[in-house]
């Protein structure tokens, strides 16, 4: 006869994620103003413990060149030898912290990422139903284990603008095309931009697309 037993324990995890934080000009410690927020996930080449690597590529240079950005922007750094798919709990904890500490409008939280961060953005949105108002994955692979729309509940009714380079040999454009076709087949609101003659670095053109930021602001969650 088997023994009938009960195992119970408490597990505490410690997360450590360095990050860049960009605030719009002005006083963010008082008043009732709430600001739209962008969470940016970098690519594999920016992993480690040097935030200057994150600052140099993708969305951060675009934000720094913008004299009056209307967004609060956070750009965490994935640890070396890790992947955003392994750090999603930490990213969610960071997002909770930032929303509680800064005047973030909870209905205007946007998510974007490039390459490894593009897949991370898909995966993060897929498991956070209703948290994000819009998502913009750039040259990212599809979420892990995806076979149908039921596997990505967080993407239901989530506006998406998907970017890729037509000549990308690192992550084939078909990865983005798969997601676009899947979501459109279920009536989701998806925009799809393929940059001709562009290789893997499609993030340069994606984040130089001025309309992307006004498109973000057109959307609210809830």
């Amino acid at each position: 006869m088997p023994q009938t037993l009960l195992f119970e324990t408490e597990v505490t995890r410690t997360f450590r994620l360095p990050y860049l934080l960009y605030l719009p000009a002005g006083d963010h410690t008082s008043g009732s103003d709430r600001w739209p927020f962008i969470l940016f996930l970098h690519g594999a080449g920016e992993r480690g413990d040097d935030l200057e690597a994150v600052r140099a590529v993708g969305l951060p240079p675009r934000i720094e060149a913008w004299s009056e950005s209307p967004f609060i922007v956070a750009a965490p750094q994935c640890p070396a030898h890790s992947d955003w798919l392994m750090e999603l709990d930490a990213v969610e904890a960071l997002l909770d912290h930032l929303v509680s500490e800064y005047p973030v409008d909870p209905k205007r939280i946007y998510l974007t990422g490039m390459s490894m961060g593009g897949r991370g953005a898909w995966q993060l949105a897929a498991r956070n139903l209703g948290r994000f108002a819009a998502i913009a994955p750039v040259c990212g692979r599809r979420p892990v284990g995806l076979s149908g729309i039921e596997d990505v509940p967080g993407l239901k009714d989530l506006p998406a603008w998907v970017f890729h380079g037509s000549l990308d040999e690192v992550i084939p454009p078909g990865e983005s095309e798969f997601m676009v076709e899947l979501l459109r087949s279920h009536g989701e609101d998806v925009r799809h931009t393929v940059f001709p003659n562009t290789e893997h670095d499609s993030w340069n053109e994606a984040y130089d697309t001025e309309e992307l930021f006004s498109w973000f602001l057109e959307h609210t969650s809830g």
Side-chain angles (χ1 to χ4, degrees), residues 20-183:
L20 300 173
L21 183 67
Y22 297 91
L23 298 174
D27 182 4
H28 308 289
T29 61
S30 62
S32 59
D33 289 343
R34 313 302 283 182
W35 293 84
F37 177 93
I38 300 175
L39 177 64
F40 167 72
L41 303 181
H42 63 71
E46 292 73 60
R47 291 175 293 183
D49 56 8
D50 180 6
L51 281 171
E52 287 302 308
V54 179
R55 188 179 176 189
V57 183
L59 183 59
R62 175 69 176 85
I63 296 298
E64 292 187 21
W66 200 345
S67 59
E68 295 187 13
S69 165
F71 299 94
I72 296 175
V73 179
Q77 186 171 38
C78 184
H81 313 300
S82 188
D83 184 284
W84 285 125
L85 302 187
M86 300 168 60
E87 304 296 332
L88 294 182
D89 289 343
V91 173
E92 290 169 349
L94 172 63
L95 182 55
D96 289 340
H97 166 74
L98 293 172
V99 170
S100 69
E101 292 295 319
Y102 294 91
V104 172
D105 183 343
K107 293 184 177 295
R108 294 188 294 169
I109 298 177
Y110 309 106
L111 174 61
T112 185
M114 61 186 223
S115 192
M116 180 186 78
R119 171 178 264 185
W122 281 124
Q123 202 87 35
L124 187 64
R127 70 185 220 168
N128 282 273
L129 180 64
R131 181 153 209 186
F132 300 103
I135 181 176
V138 181
C139 60
R141 295 188 186 276
R142 72 190 75 177
V144 173
L146 175 62
S147 59
I149 193 72
E150 67 278 359
D151 298 321
V152 285
L155 301 182
K156 181 174 174 54
D157 301 322
L158 177 65
W161 191 342
V162 184
F163 297 89
H164 221 113
S166 65
L167 303 181
D168 193 335
E169 295 183 354
V170 177
I171 298 178
E175 290 289 315
S176 286
E177 292 167 5
F178 177 90
M179 292 302 300
V180 169
E181 292 171 6
L182 173 67
L183 295 174

Side-chain angles (χ1 to χ4, degrees), residues 154-212:
L155 301 182
K156 181 174 174 54
D157 301 322
L158 177 65
W161 191 342
V162 184
F163 297 89
H164 221 113
S166 65
L167 303 181
D168 193 335
E169 295 183 354
V170 177
I171 298 178
E175 290 289 315
S176 286
E177 292 167 5
F178 177 90
M179 292 302 300
V180 169
E181 292 171 6
L182 173 67
L183 295 174
R184 284 180 175 170
S185 70
H186 288 80
E188 305 298 344
D189 178 10
V190 183
R191 298 182 67 166
H192 187 204
T193 298
V194 179
F195 299 111
N197 305 315
T198 297
E199 298 181 354
H200 188 50
D201 58 350
S202 54
W203 50 80
N204 293 322
E205 291 169 274
Y207 295 125
D208 278 343
T209 301
E210 190 75 29
E211 187 185 354
L212 171 62

